[in-house]
């Protein structure tokens, strides 16, 4: 009889993990390297060790738990992240890690030892919300940033990444970059509306769109809100708001896959009767095509300069993240689609709007992703939800994709 994951056990682990950093509204907050992240890590590592898996922790805090195969050699790896944004839901990242644990446990319980080893990983700071860039741990794992450079990253709260990693006890000894797996597959919620809109259950993810994050600092002139004539103002708050409007206008004008978001906007002194002297904002631009993303970045830079000149404010910019679009290995995408079909699941190919650790592992080995629907396309929101039957379908497709990758040549 074909092995099947235990969706009740998967759901109960998802709920137990979600209680760590519980925000009281159905969501959870476990910002990277926070005490809550540490507690979540400790819980998942305990589950990994209870399964008898060989657990390693590397220099950036990535955790890899491995079950040996019949033969030596690199594992078929799955995984994702367990850090969340401050308004996180139950499933983002956590599903991929706990479904991977479920796959290894199910195969072990069935007495099945695949030819190749299997591993489940969680990568540090996938969200990038506290320490940018996002996908930081998997970027270091893939050799895209040195661990020393990562240690010197400063978070939005002014803390230094290396100190926080040491403080929570996850500065491991396994060297970075990590060993290249035989292949990597990540199960993740779609976090968008496409699968649900079309009545599909499985997404065979073709790749990840390009991501550009920048932080913009505007320097204006503190002044009195009542006495300062409008023509005398150098209002950093007005300039920041104009940039936010321009970002939305850019996405509307370009259309298609172009998205633009001003997610952070801080004014100083942030008082009702003082013209803002300083403004700090972030602009998140994404597109599936790198040339289009570059064109959007260029247009944004031009617009920011015009707004700043017009208002007589200074501008400084810092690139927080820049990742080109990534195409997943067609053989893995085909395998996900074929496996979904074989298990009677309606499946659709689609690109990912969100960044994922899989895009970094794709630098090391054949990689791909499996999506399951997000109700209402909602994510990074406590209301994030995926139905049990979809979790069950996704985790079983993950099991069979990994089992095939562990036996056959790609
Ligand atoms: O921002 C992203 O795409 C991901 O949630 N880190
Ligand atoms: Mn995620
Ligand atoms: Mn996320």
């Amino acid at each position: 009889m074909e092995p099947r994951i235990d969706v009740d056990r998967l759901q109960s682990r998802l709920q137990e993990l979600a209680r760590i950093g519980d925000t009281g509204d159905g969501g959870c907050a476990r910002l990277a390297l926070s005490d809550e992240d540490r507690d979540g890590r400790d819980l998942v590592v305990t589950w990994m060790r209870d399964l008898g898996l060989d657990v390693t922790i590397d220099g950036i805090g990535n955790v890899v738990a491995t079950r040996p195969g019949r033969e030596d050699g690199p594992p078929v790896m799955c995984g994702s992240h367990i850090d969340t944004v401050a308004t996180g839901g139950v499933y983002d990242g956590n599903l991929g890690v706990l479904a991977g644990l479920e796959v290894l446990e199910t195969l072990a319980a069935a007495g099945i030892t695949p030819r190749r080893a299997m591993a489940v990983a969680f990568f540090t700071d996938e969200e990038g919300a506290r320490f940018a860039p996002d996908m930081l741990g998997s970027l270091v794992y893939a050799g895209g940033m040195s661990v020393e450079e990562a240690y010197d990253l400063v978070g939005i709260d002014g803390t230094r990444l290396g100190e926080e990693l040491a403080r929570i006890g996850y500065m491991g000894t396994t060297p970075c970059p990590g060993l290249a797996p035989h292949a990597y597959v990540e199960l993740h919620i779609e976090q968008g509306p496409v699968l649900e809109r079309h009545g599909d259950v499985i997404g065979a993810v073709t790749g990840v769109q390009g991501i550009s994050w920048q932080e913009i600092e505007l320097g204006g002139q503190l002044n009195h809100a009542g006495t300062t004539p409008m023509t005398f103002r150098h209002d950093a708050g007005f300039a920041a708001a104009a940039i936010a409007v321009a970002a939305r206008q850019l996405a509307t004008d370009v259309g298609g896959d172009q998205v633009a978001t001003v997610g952070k906007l801080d004014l100083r002194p942030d008082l009702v009767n003082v013209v803002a002297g300083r403004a700090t904002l972030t602009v998140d631009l994404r597109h599936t095509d790198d040339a289009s993303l570059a064109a959007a970045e260029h247009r944004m830079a031009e617009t920011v300069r015009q707004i700043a000149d017009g208002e007589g404010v200074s501008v400084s910019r810092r690139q927080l993240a820049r990742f080109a679009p990534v195409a997943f290995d067609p053989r893995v995408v085909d395998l996900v689609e074929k496996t979904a079909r074989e298990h009677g699941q309606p499946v659709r190919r689609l690109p990912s709007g969100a960044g994922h650790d899989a895009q970094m592992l794709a630098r090391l080995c054949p990689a791909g992703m499996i999506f399951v629907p997000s109700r209402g396309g909602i994510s990074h929101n406590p209301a994030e939800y995926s139905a049990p039957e979809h979790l069950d379908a996704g985790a079983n497709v993950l099991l069979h994709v990994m089992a095939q990758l562990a036996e056959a040549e790609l």
Side-chain angles (χ1 to χ4, degrees):
M1 182 164 100
E2 264 204 352
R4 282 193 67 78
I5 66 105
D6 178 340
V7 69
D8 293 336
R9 180 171 59 197
L10 172 58
Q11 290 208 96
S12 86
R13 284 191 174 132
L14 280 164
Q15 293 307 329
E16 185 171 350
L17 179 54
R19 279 193 284 279
I20 298 178
D22 183 349
T23 42
D25 52 5
C28 54
R30 294 194 303 273
L31 285 177
L33 311 185
S34 61
D35 290 351
E36 294 78 13
D37 185 23
R38 175 201 57 216
D39 297 347
R41 287 164 167 266
D42 291 349
L43 177 63
V44 176
V45 167
T46 300
W47 283 331
M48 290 170 161
R49 291 194 167 125
D50 288 349
L51 286 181
L53 301 177
D54 170 40
V55 179
T56 60
I57 304 172
D58 73 12
I60 196 66
N62 296 319
V63 173
V64 180
T66 307
R67 180 171 177 253
R70 301 191 304 272
E71 296 175 7
D72 290 338
V76 173
M77 183 185 279
C78 65
S80 192
H81 61 97
I82 60 172
D83 66 297
T84 75
V85 293
T87 53
V90 171
Y91 306 93
D92 177 0
N94 307 310
L95 173 62
V97 178
L98 299 183
L101 200 64
E102 185 57 40
V103 165
L104 270 61
E105 181 163 8
T106 300
L107 292 173
I112 298 169
T113 301
R115 172 186 164 200
R116 295 187 175 96
M118 284 193 176
V120 54
F122 62 79
F123 296 98
T124 295
D125 188 26
E126 187 279 342
E127 292 294 0
R130 181 184 181 198
F131 297 98
D134 52 350
M135 288 77 67
L136 176 75
S138 48
L139 177 67
V140 171
Y141 186 95
M145 182 187 283
S146 74
V147 71
E148 292 75 19
E149 188 184 345
Y151 288 162
D152 286 336
L153 293 172
V154 176
I156 57 173
D157 52 8
T159 56
R160 183 176 164 274
L161 186 142
E163 281 146 35
E164 284 295 278
L165 184 64
R167 184 184 66 80
I168 68 166
Y170 275 89
M171 188 179 280
T173 53
T174 300
C176 296
L179 296 175
H182 171 72
Y184 179 84
V185 191
E186 180 167 352
L187 171 64
H188 204 287
I189 54 172
E190 179 202 334
Q191 301 180 288
V194 175
L195 293 178
E196 183 181 62
R197 182 182 299 154
H198 296 279
D200 291 309
V201 172
I202 298 293
V205 186
T206 53
V208 178
Q209 69 177 343
I211 301 176
S212 166
W213 286 0
Q214 59 180 307
E215 179 187 77
I216 298 170
E217 288 263 359
L218 302 168
Q221 184 182 54
L222 289 168
N223 225 324
H224 194 295
T227 58
T228 311
M230 295 313 289
T231 51
F232 278 34
R233 294 180 183 217
H234 303 291
D235 183 344
F238 167 78
I243 290 169
V245 169
R248 168 61 66 93
Q249 193 58 52
L250 179 154
T252 307
D253 293 351
V254 173
D257 290 342
Q258 183 66 56
V259 290
T261 312
V262 171
K264 269 175 71 53
L265 202 170
D266 302 297
L267 300 183
R268 290 287 169 266
D270 206 18
L271 298 172
V272 62
N273 58 352
V274 180
V275 174
R278 292 202 72 70
T280 306
L281 65 156
T282 58
V283 179
D284 174 326
L285 299 171
R286 308 199 195 193
H287 201 291
T288 49
D289 170 73
D290 206 31
S292 304
L293 181 57
E297 287 173 313
H298 178 73
R299 174 173 159 176
M300 201 67 236
E302 270 304 295
T303 306
V304 166
R305 194 185 53 73
Q306 284 161 14
I307 290 169
D309 289 354
E311 188 61 24
V313 301
S314 66
V315 187
S316 64
R317 293 170 26 187
R318 187 161 68 98
Q319 192 83 38
L320 299 177
R322 181 56 167 95
F323 300 122
V326 170
F328 288 137
D329 188 307
R331 298 169 296 178
V332 181
V333 181
D334 292 347
L335 183 59
V336 169
E337 187 177 54
K338 177 178 78 68
T339 306
R341 289 221 167 88
E342 286 166 354
H343 287 79
Q345 297 297 348
V347 55
R348 155 181 301 272
R349 289 174 178 240
L350 75 167
S352 174
H356 297 287
D357 294 311
Q359 73 188 84
M360 300 304 172
L361 272 290
R363 300 183 183 194
L364 297 178
C365 66
M369 292 186 77
I370 303 162
F371 274 173
V372 291
S374 292
R375 184 178 62 190
I378 298 289
S379 184
H380 283 187
N381 179 321
E384 183 182 278
Y385 178 80
S386 291
E389 61 272 23
H390 294 163
L391 304 179
D392 186 55
N396 276 306
V397 168
L398 177 68
L399 184 151
H400 291 287
V401 166
M402 288 184 74
Q404 293 172 81
L405 289 169
E407 292 301 337
E409 296 315 313
L410 245 179

